[in-house]
Amino acid sequence: MQIQKNIPLAQYTTFKIGGPAENFVIAKTIEEVQEAVSWAKEHDQEIFVFGGGSNLLISDSGIKGLVIKLDLQILEFEENKIKVGSGVLLSYLLNQALEHELIGLEFAAGIPGTVGGAVRGNAGTYGRAMSDVVTKINYLDENYLLQEMSVGQANFEYRHSIFKEKKYLILKVELELAKGDLVAAKKLVQERLAYRQDTQPNQPSAGCIFKNIAFSDQETEDLKSRGIEVEKFLEHHKIPAAYLIDRAGLKGKTVGGAQVSEKHANYIINTGTAKAEDVVILSSLIKQQIRDKYNLQLNEEVQFIL
Ligand SMILES: Cc1cc2nc3c(=O)[nH]c(=O)nc-3n(C[C@H](O)[C@H](O)[C@H](O)COP(=O)(O)OP(=O)(O)OC[C@H]3O[C@@H](n4cnc5c(N)ncnc54)[C@H](O)[C@@H]3O)c2cc1C
């Protein structure tokens, strides 16, 4: 296992932003993860783990301590069950599931990043998410001991899991899918990918910056009185952050190299020279404007590591 020094992290993120990792290692097996953890303990270093870097904004000054890129490439099929390493790309898992005539993961079409990152953030689209297919998770706990939990123990909610509450390292995940209409599933995946092509920017970004805002039936009248067309959002009971940001006239708003996408208002894109600071200032500005205009609080979906 080779610990590298001062590795620029921008190259490992989809935002193409981020200063150097003081110490850096790519861990491909559970043993390598445990070796990296021991090294960090011996050298009294904090540990930061990541996967595909597609939900991260990393500080311009980088990350101190040991940064571990979790790259566990396990993939085992047993009837409807799949055991998958946390470093496996979600897109690859989806293709392999369809290859094995298993459906239920179509919601993941077009979501970048790894299985580990997807489980931690309960990644999803159209009202479905990882919590709908995950059955078991193998992880290292805060004492770096190997543990296993069932889906019921993972505190899954909208873009949330216990892995956002605790510094656990996800190593391997078990999913359960189903046999079904493969032609329809493949068609749906193609449609979703095409829709993303039409509606999402292809410049560097970390996806949706803010979470959509959930609301209850009791809140609809109040939201209407704030000028929000809630009737449009009754299917998932969530107000799209993009809707609010667009209506606040913020598309195209720029700070340094960071810009609110003209194509999708809940994306901040890197126009080429963006610094993390630009993104932080722009996202604060957006939050302020939405507070002023709608008296609503936006919360980041992207993990700001500052
Ligand atoms: C163009 C684009 C479109 C996107 N569309 C969607 C979408 O439709 N739906 C959606 O939900 N998300 C979307 N995202 C966001 C992102 O792809 C997901 O959040 C993804 O699941 C992140 O996975 P990752 O491996 O890249 O995580 P990373 O960015 O590497 O890490 C994210 C967080 O998870 C932690 N982490 C990563 N791996 C592990 C692990 N094994 N154990 C413990 N902690 C870990 C990291 O410490 C960090 O805090 C999009 C992003 C982009 C760039």
Side-chain angles (χ1 to χ4, degrees), residues 256-267:
Q259 183 181 71
V260 178
S261 163
E262 297 276 6
K263 211 170 174 182
H264 192 304
N266 196 15
Y267 276 63

Side-chain angles (χ1 to χ4, degrees), residues 82-84 115 119 134 136-137 170-175:
I82 311 176
K83 290 192 176 123
V84 53
V115 168
V119 168
V134 168
K136 253 185 259 172
I137 303 151
I170 302 167
L171 300 172
K172 196 166 71 174
V173 176
E174 188 179 280
L175 313 173

Side-chain angles (χ1 to χ4, degrees), residues 12 14-15 48-56 69-70 86-87 89-90 107 109-125 130 159 163-164 166-171 196 200-201 203-208 267 301-303 305:
Y12 290 105
T14 55
F15 231 154
F48 176 76
V49 301
F50 76 104
S54 67
N55 200 219
L56 284 177
K69 178 174 169 53
L70 293 168
S86 61
L89 290 178
L90 201 53
F107 71 85
I111 303 181
T114 66
V115 168
V119 168
R120 180 186 180 273
N122 200 14
T125 57
M130 294 305 286
R159 301 293 172 273
F163 301 99
K164 284 194 174 182
K166 310 249 183 200
K167 281 193 84 174
Y168 294 164
L169 275 67
I170 302 167
L171 300 172
R196 276 180 184 262
Q200 294 173 2
Q203 291 94 336
S205 79
C208 291
Y267 276 63
E301 184 174 322
V302 172
Q303 311 302 300
I305 312 298

Side-chain angles (χ1 to χ4, degrees), residues 44-291:
D44 197 21
Q45 297 286 320
E46 283 290 312
I47 291 175
F48 176 76
V49 301
F50 76 104
S54 67
N55 200 219
L56 284 177
L57 175 70
I58 294 177
S59 148
D60 302 317
S61 57
I63 299 177
K64 292 277 175 247
L66 175 63
V67 175
I68 308 176
K69 178 174 169 53
L70 293 168
D71 193 22
L72 285 82
Q73 296 296 327
I74 304 157
L75 191 55
E76 297 156 8
F77 288 83
E78 200 188 306
E79 289 175 8
N80 295 357
K81 288 207 165 88
I82 311 176
K83 290 192 176 123
V84 53
S86 61
V88 172
L89 290 178
L90 201 53
S91 54
Y92 181 71
L93 174 64
L94 170 58
N95 292 340
Q96 287 298 304
L98 293 171
E99 285 282 313
H100 287 75
E101 303 183 354
L102 293 174
I103 69 166
L105 210 49
E106 295 74 55
F107 71 85
I111 303 181
T114 66
V115 168
V119 168
R120 180 186 180 273
N122 200 14
T125 57
Y126 302 94
R128 274 181 62 80
M130 294 305 286
S131 49
D132 293 308
V133 291
V134 168
T135 51
K136 253 185 259 172
I137 303 151
N138 297 101
Y139 63 99
L140 292 183
D141 66 14
E142 282 158 334
N143 301 313
Y144 303 107
L145 300 172
L146 266 174
Q147 304 286 1
E148 181 173 287
M149 72 170 74
S150 69
V151 61
Q153 298 168 289
N155 298 354
F156 280 124
E157 287 169 21
Y158 170 65
R159 301 293 172 273
H160 183 81
S161 77
I162 193 168
F163 301 99
K164 284 194 174 182
E165 302 161 22
K166 310 249 183 200
K167 281 193 84 174
Y168 294 164
L169 275 67
I170 302 167
L171 300 172
K172 196 166 71 174
V173 176
E174 188 179 280
L175 313 173
E176 185 145 2
L177 300 179
K179 297 284 180 195
D181 185 344
L182 211 50
V183 175
K186 287 182 177 173
K187 185 164 170 285
L188 182 61
V189 166
Q190 289 319 313
E191 285 166 2
R192 294 271 167 90
L193 293 175
Y195 180 76
R196 276 180 184 262
Q197 199 86 36
D198 296 342
T199 60
Q200 294 173 2
N202 52 22
Q203 291 94 336
S205 79
C208 291
I209 280 282
F210 300 108
K211 294 180 183 175
N212 298 331
I213 297 182
F215 65 92
S216 65
D217 287 335
Q218 289 71 34
E219 293 168 306
T220 50
E221 284 317 309
D222 175 32
L223 291 167
K224 270 189 199 156
S225 70
R226 301 186 206 189
I228 295 168
E229 303 153 296
V230 261
E231 57 286 351
K232 287 184 176 173
F233 312 122
L234 293 175
E235 187 188 354
H236 298 301
H237 272 73
K238 290 196 180 68
I239 305 165
Y243 165 86
L244 298 169
I245 299 168
D246 190 3
R247 289 193 62 177
L250 290 165
K251 275 186 169 177
K253 186 83 185 166
T254 302
V255 173
Q259 183 181 71
V260 178
S261 163
E262 297 276 6
K263 211 170 174 182
H264 192 304
N266 196 15
Y267 276 63
I268 291 178
I269 57 172
N270 176 354
T271 58
T273 60
K275 294 271 175 240
E277 198 187 350
D278 300 336
V279 177
V280 172
I281 295 170
L282 184 52
S283 68
S284 311
L285 186 152
I286 295 168
K287 288 199 283 186
Q288 184 63 52
Q289 299 248 346
I290 301 305
R291 269 198 303 273

